[in-house]
Short mmCIF file of all heavy atoms in Angstrom, two decimals:
data_model
loop_
_atom_site.label_atom_id
_atom_site.label_comp_id
_atom_site.label_asym_id
_atom_site.label_seq_id
_atom_site.Cartn_x
_atom_site.Cartn_y
_atom_site.Cartn_z
N ASP Q 254 3.83 -2.43 -4.92
CA ASP Q 254 3.13 -1.59 -5.90
C ASP Q 254 4.03 -1.12 -7.04
O ASP Q 254 3.54 -0.80 -8.14
CB ASP Q 254 2.53 -0.36 -5.22
CG ASP Q 254 1.37 -0.70 -4.31
OD1 ASP Q 254 1.02 -1.89 -4.21
OD2 ASP Q 254 0.84 0.21 -3.68
N ILE Q 255 5.32 -1.06 -6.82
CA ILE Q 255 6.23 -0.51 -7.87
C ILE Q 255 6.45 -1.51 -8.98
O ILE Q 255 6.97 -1.12 -10.05
CB ILE Q 255 7.56 -0.10 -7.25
CG1 ILE Q 255 8.30 0.86 -8.19
CG2 ILE Q 255 8.45 -1.30 -6.91
CD1 ILE Q 255 9.52 1.52 -7.57
N THR Q 256 6.02 -2.75 -8.84
CA THR Q 256 6.24 -3.76 -9.91
C THR Q 256 5.17 -3.69 -10.97
O THR Q 256 4.09 -3.15 -10.75
CB THR Q 256 6.27 -5.17 -9.31
OG1 THR Q 256 4.95 -5.52 -8.89
CG2 THR Q 256 7.24 -5.28 -8.16
N ASP Q 257 5.48 -4.28 -12.13
CA ASP Q 257 4.48 -4.35 -13.19
C ASP Q 257 3.68 -5.64 -13.17
O ASP Q 257 3.05 -5.99 -14.16
CB ASP Q 257 5.17 -4.19 -14.56
CG ASP Q 257 6.04 -5.39 -14.93
OD1 ASP Q 257 6.44 -6.14 -14.03
OD2 ASP Q 257 6.29 -5.58 -16.14
N VAL Q 258 3.71 -6.37 -12.04
CA VAL Q 258 2.91 -7.57 -11.93
C VAL Q 258 1.43 -7.22 -12.15
O VAL Q 258 0.90 -6.33 -11.48
CB VAL Q 258 3.09 -8.23 -10.54
CG1 VAL Q 258 2.17 -9.45 -10.42
CG2 VAL Q 258 4.53 -8.61 -10.32
N PRO Q 259 0.78 -7.86 -13.10
CA PRO Q 259 -0.59 -7.48 -13.47
C PRO Q 259 -1.65 -7.99 -12.46
O PRO Q 259 -2.29 -9.02 -12.66
CB PRO Q 259 -0.80 -8.16 -14.84
CG PRO Q 259 0.06 -9.36 -14.78
CD PRO Q 259 1.29 -8.97 -13.95
N GLU Q 260 -1.81 -7.26 -11.38
CA GLU Q 260 -2.77 -7.60 -10.35
C GLU Q 260 -3.15 -6.31 -9.60
O GLU Q 260 -2.48 -5.31 -9.71
CB GLU Q 260 -2.18 -8.64 -9.37
CG GLU Q 260 -0.95 -8.14 -8.64
CD GLU Q 260 -0.24 -9.23 -7.86
OE1 GLU Q 260 -0.62 -10.41 -7.95
OE2 GLU Q 260 0.75 -8.87 -7.18
N VAL Q 261 -4.23 -6.37 -8.84
CA VAL Q 261 -4.65 -5.24 -8.03
C VAL Q 261 -3.59 -5.01 -6.98
O VAL Q 261 -3.13 -5.94 -6.33
CB VAL Q 261 -6.02 -5.52 -7.38
CG1 VAL Q 261 -6.46 -4.35 -6.52
CG2 VAL Q 261 -7.09 -5.78 -8.45
N LYS Q 262 -3.16 -3.73 -6.81
CA LYS Q 262 -2.09 -3.46 -5.87
C LYS Q 262 -2.67 -3.37 -4.43
O LYS Q 262 -3.40 -2.45 -4.09
CB LYS Q 262 -1.44 -2.11 -6.23
CG LYS Q 262 -0.89 -2.05 -7.65
CD LYS Q 262 0.12 -3.16 -7.94
CE LYS Q 262 0.71 -3.04 -9.33
NZ LYS Q 262 1.63 -4.14 -9.66
N GLN Q 263 -2.34 -4.38 -3.65
CA GLN Q 263 -2.87 -4.48 -2.29
C GLN Q 263 -1.79 -4.92 -1.31
O GLN Q 263 -0.84 -5.64 -1.71
CB GLN Q 263 -4.08 -5.45 -2.24
CG GLN Q 263 -5.26 -4.96 -3.03
CD GLN Q 263 -6.43 -5.94 -2.99
OE1 GLN Q 263 -6.30 -7.08 -3.47
NE2 GLN Q 263 -7.51 -5.52 -2.40
N GLY Q 264 -1.98 -4.54 -0.07
CA GLY Q 264 -0.95 -4.82 0.96
C GLY Q 264 -0.67 -6.31 1.15
O GLY Q 264 0.49 -6.72 1.27
N PHE Q 265 -1.72 -7.16 1.17
CA PHE Q 265 -1.46 -8.57 1.42
C PHE Q 265 -0.69 -9.21 0.27
O PHE Q 265 0.03 -10.17 0.48
CB PHE Q 265 -2.80 -9.31 1.68
CG PHE Q 265 -3.58 -9.65 0.45
CD1 PHE Q 265 -3.47 -10.94 -0.11
CD2 PHE Q 265 -4.47 -8.78 -0.12
CE1 PHE Q 265 -4.21 -11.29 -1.20
CE2 PHE Q 265 -5.21 -9.11 -1.23
CZ PHE Q 265 -5.10 -10.37 -1.80
N LEU Q 266 -0.81 -8.63 -0.96
CA LEU Q 266 -0.03 -9.15 -2.08
C LEU Q 266 1.43 -8.69 -1.96
O LEU Q 266 2.34 -9.44 -2.35
CB LEU Q 266 -0.63 -8.68 -3.38
CG LEU Q 266 -2.01 -9.24 -3.69
CD1 LEU Q 266 -2.52 -8.66 -5.01
CD2 LEU Q 266 -1.98 -10.76 -3.75
N ALA Q 267 1.67 -7.50 -1.38
CA ALA Q 267 3.05 -7.09 -1.15
C ALA Q 267 3.74 -8.03 -0.17
O ALA Q 267 4.94 -8.31 -0.30
CB ALA Q 267 3.08 -5.64 -0.63
N GLU Q 268 2.98 -8.53 0.80
CA GLU Q 268 3.53 -9.55 1.75
C GLU Q 268 3.91 -10.80 0.97
O GLU Q 268 4.97 -11.41 1.24
CB GLU Q 268 2.51 -9.88 2.80
CG GLU Q 268 2.27 -8.80 3.85
CD GLU Q 268 1.33 -9.29 4.95
OE1 GLU Q 268 1.51 -10.42 5.43
OE2 GLU Q 268 0.39 -8.53 5.30
N LYS Q 269 3.07 -11.20 0.05
CA LYS Q 269 3.37 -12.41 -0.73
C LYS Q 269 4.63 -12.18 -1.62
O LYS Q 269 5.49 -13.07 -1.75
CB LYS Q 269 2.20 -12.79 -1.65
CG LYS Q 269 1.01 -13.36 -0.88
CD LYS Q 269 -0.06 -13.86 -1.86
CE LYS Q 269 -1.17 -14.57 -1.15
NZ LYS Q 269 -2.20 -15.11 -2.05
N HIS Q 270 4.72 -10.99 -2.21
CA HIS Q 270 5.93 -10.63 -2.97
C HIS Q 270 7.17 -10.78 -2.09
O HIS Q 270 8.21 -11.32 -2.50
CB HIS Q 270 5.85 -9.20 -3.47
CG HIS Q 270 4.88 -8.96 -4.57
ND1 HIS Q 270 4.88 -7.83 -5.36
CD2 HIS Q 270 3.83 -9.72 -5.01
CE1 HIS Q 270 3.89 -7.88 -6.23
NE2 HIS Q 270 3.22 -9.01 -6.04
N ALA Q 271 7.06 -10.21 -0.87
CA ALA Q 271 8.19 -10.22 0.06
C ALA Q 271 8.66 -11.64 0.37
O ALA Q 271 9.87 -11.94 0.41
CB ALA Q 271 7.82 -9.48 1.34
N ALA Q 272 7.68 -12.55 0.56
CA ALA Q 272 8.03 -13.93 0.90
C ALA Q 272 8.78 -14.60 -0.26
O ALA Q 272 9.79 -15.31 -0.06
CB ALA Q 272 6.76 -14.72 1.26
N VAL Q 273 8.30 -14.40 -1.48
CA VAL Q 273 8.92 -15.02 -2.66
C VAL Q 273 10.32 -14.45 -2.90
O VAL Q 273 11.29 -15.18 -3.10
CB VAL Q 273 8.06 -14.86 -3.92
CG1 VAL Q 273 8.83 -15.28 -5.17
CG2 VAL Q 273 6.77 -15.65 -3.79
N ALA Q 274 10.42 -13.10 -2.84
CA ALA Q 274 11.71 -12.45 -3.09
C ALA Q 274 12.73 -12.82 -2.01
O ALA Q 274 13.89 -13.06 -2.27
CB ALA Q 274 11.54 -10.94 -3.16
N ALA Q 275 12.28 -12.91 -0.77
CA ALA Q 275 13.17 -13.26 0.37
C ALA Q 275 13.69 -14.71 0.19
O ALA Q 275 14.90 -14.97 0.37
CB ALA Q 275 12.44 -13.15 1.69
N LYS Q 276 12.81 -15.60 -0.19
CA LYS Q 276 13.22 -16.99 -0.43
C LYS Q 276 14.29 -17.05 -1.53
O LYS Q 276 15.32 -17.77 -1.42
CB LYS Q 276 12.01 -17.85 -0.81
CG LYS Q 276 12.37 -19.30 -1.06
CD LYS Q 276 11.12 -20.12 -1.40
CE LYS Q 276 11.45 -21.58 -1.63
NZ LYS Q 276 10.24 -22.41 -1.92
N ASN Q 277 14.06 -16.28 -2.63
CA ASN Q 277 15.00 -16.33 -3.74
C ASN Q 277 16.34 -15.70 -3.36
O ASN Q 277 17.40 -16.19 -3.77
CB ASN Q 277 14.40 -15.63 -4.93
CG ASN Q 277 13.31 -16.47 -5.58
OD1 ASN Q 277 13.27 -17.68 -5.43
ND2 ASN Q 277 12.43 -15.81 -6.34
N LEU Q 278 16.29 -14.61 -2.59
CA LEU Q 278 17.54 -14.00 -2.10
C LEU Q 278 18.32 -15.00 -1.27
O LEU Q 278 19.57 -15.12 -1.44
CB LEU Q 278 17.21 -12.77 -1.27
CG LEU Q 278 17.12 -11.46 -2.07
CD1 LEU Q 278 16.43 -10.38 -1.23
CD2 LEU Q 278 18.52 -10.97 -2.42
N GLN Q 279 17.67 -15.68 -0.36
CA GLN Q 279 18.36 -16.63 0.50
C GLN Q 279 18.94 -17.79 -0.32
O GLN Q 279 20.03 -18.24 -0.05
CB GLN Q 279 17.38 -17.14 1.56
CG GLN Q 279 17.00 -16.10 2.58
CD GLN Q 279 15.80 -16.47 3.46
OE1 GLN Q 279 14.90 -17.19 3.01
NE2 GLN Q 279 15.81 -16.04 4.70
N LEU Q 280 18.22 -18.20 -1.37
CA LEU Q 280 18.74 -19.28 -2.24
C LEU Q 280 19.98 -18.83 -2.99
O LEU Q 280 20.98 -19.53 -3.09
CB LEU Q 280 17.65 -19.74 -3.21
CG LEU Q 280 16.54 -20.60 -2.61
CD1 LEU Q 280 15.41 -20.74 -3.63
CD2 LEU Q 280 17.03 -21.95 -2.18
N LEU Q 281 19.91 -17.59 -3.50
CA LEU Q 281 21.06 -17.06 -4.27
C LEU Q 281 22.27 -16.89 -3.37
O LEU Q 281 23.43 -17.13 -3.77
CB LEU Q 281 20.65 -15.74 -4.94
CG LEU Q 281 19.69 -15.84 -6.09
CD1 LEU Q 281 19.22 -14.45 -6.51
CD2 LEU Q 281 20.30 -16.59 -7.28
N ILE Q 282 22.03 -16.41 -2.14
CA ILE Q 282 23.14 -16.22 -1.21
C ILE Q 282 23.84 -17.56 -0.90
O ILE Q 282 25.04 -17.62 -0.74
CB ILE Q 282 22.64 -15.55 0.09
CG1 ILE Q 282 22.29 -14.06 -0.19
CG2 ILE Q 282 23.65 -15.64 1.19
CD1 ILE Q 282 21.59 -13.36 0.94
N LYS Q 283 23.05 -18.63 -0.90
CA LYS Q 283 23.60 -19.95 -0.62
C LYS Q 283 24.20 -20.59 -1.88
O LYS Q 283 24.74 -21.70 -1.84
CB LYS Q 283 22.50 -20.86 -0.08
CG LYS Q 283 22.02 -20.47 1.31
CD LYS Q 283 20.85 -21.35 1.76
CE LYS Q 283 20.32 -20.94 3.12
NZ LYS Q 283 19.14 -21.77 3.55
N GLY Q 284 24.06 -19.88 -3.02
CA GLY Q 284 24.65 -20.39 -4.26
C GLY Q 284 23.77 -21.38 -5.00
O GLY Q 284 24.26 -22.17 -5.84
N ALA Q 285 22.49 -21.37 -4.75
CA ALA Q 285 21.58 -22.28 -5.43
C ALA Q 285 21.48 -21.97 -6.91
O ALA Q 285 21.59 -20.80 -7.33
CB ALA Q 285 20.19 -22.20 -4.79
N PRO Q 286 21.23 -22.97 -7.76
CA PRO Q 286 21.11 -22.73 -9.21
C PRO Q 286 19.80 -21.98 -9.51
O PRO Q 286 18.84 -22.03 -8.75
CB PRO Q 286 21.11 -24.14 -9.81
CG PRO Q 286 20.63 -25.04 -8.70
CD PRO Q 286 21.15 -24.41 -7.44
N GLU Q 287 19.78 -21.34 -10.68
CA GLU Q 287 18.63 -20.57 -11.09
C GLU Q 287 17.33 -21.36 -11.13
O GLU Q 287 16.27 -20.83 -10.81
CB GLU Q 287 18.90 -19.97 -12.48
CG GLU Q 287 20.03 -18.98 -12.58
CD GLU Q 287 19.60 -17.59 -12.15
OE1 GLU Q 287 18.43 -17.22 -12.38
OE2 GLU Q 287 20.44 -16.88 -11.56
N ASN Q 288 17.43 -22.63 -11.53
CA ASN Q 288 16.19 -23.43 -11.66
C ASN Q 288 15.54 -23.76 -10.32
O ASN Q 288 14.44 -24.36 -10.28
CB ASN Q 288 16.42 -24.68 -12.48
CG ASN Q 288 17.47 -25.61 -11.84
OD1 ASN Q 288 17.94 -25.40 -10.73
ND2 ASN Q 288 17.83 -26.63 -12.62
N LYS Q 289 16.21 -23.45 -9.21
CA LYS Q 289 15.64 -23.69 -7.90
C LYS Q 289 14.87 -22.50 -7.35
O LYS Q 289 14.23 -22.57 -6.28
CB LYS Q 289 16.76 -24.06 -6.90
CG LYS Q 289 17.49 -25.37 -7.23
CD LYS Q 289 16.57 -26.57 -7.08
CE LYS Q 289 17.32 -27.87 -7.32
NZ LYS Q 289 16.45 -29.03 -7.20
N LEU Q 290 14.91 -21.38 -8.06
CA LEU Q 290 14.27 -20.15 -7.54
C LEU Q 290 12.76 -20.29 -7.60
O LEU Q 290 12.17 -20.87 -8.50
CB LEU Q 290 14.72 -18.93 -8.38
CG LEU Q 290 16.18 -18.57 -8.35
CD1 LEU Q 290 16.45 -17.29 -9.17
CD2 LEU Q 290 16.68 -18.37 -6.92
N ALA Q 291 12.10 -19.69 -6.60
CA ALA Q 291 10.66 -19.70 -6.54
C ALA Q 291 10.09 -18.70 -7.55
O ALA Q 291 10.73 -17.68 -7.88
CB ALA Q 291 10.19 -19.31 -5.11
N THR Q 292 8.90 -18.99 -8.03
CA THR Q 292 8.23 -18.09 -8.99
C THR Q 292 6.99 -17.51 -8.35
O THR Q 292 6.38 -18.11 -7.47
CB THR Q 292 7.85 -18.83 -10.28
OG1 THR Q 292 7.02 -19.91 -9.96
CG2 THR Q 292 9.10 -19.32 -10.99
N TYR Q 293 6.62 -16.34 -8.85
CA TYR Q 293 5.42 -15.68 -8.35
C TYR Q 293 4.40 -15.62 -9.47
O TYR Q 293 4.69 -15.21 -10.57
CB TYR Q 293 5.71 -14.26 -7.85
CG TYR Q 293 4.49 -13.52 -7.35
CD1 TYR Q 293 4.06 -13.75 -6.05
CD2 TYR Q 293 3.75 -12.69 -8.17
CE1 TYR Q 293 2.93 -13.14 -5.56
CE2 TYR Q 293 2.59 -12.07 -7.67
CZ TYR Q 293 2.19 -12.30 -6.38
OH TYR Q 293 1.06 -11.69 -5.90
#
Side-chain angles (χ1 to χ4, degrees):
D254 291 359
I255 199 170
T256 69
D257 71 336
V258 177
E260 61 190 4
V261 179
K262 304 302 183 183
Q263 295 179 296
F265 80 96
L266 294 178
E268 288 185 46
K269 289 187 174 183
H270 289 195
V273 170
K276 180 178 181 180
N277 287 338
L278 270 164
Q279 290 167 328
L280 286 170
L281 290 171
I282 288 171
K283 293 176 181 177
E287 294 278 327
N288 60 8
K289 296 294 184 181
L290 297 183
T292 58
Y293 180 82

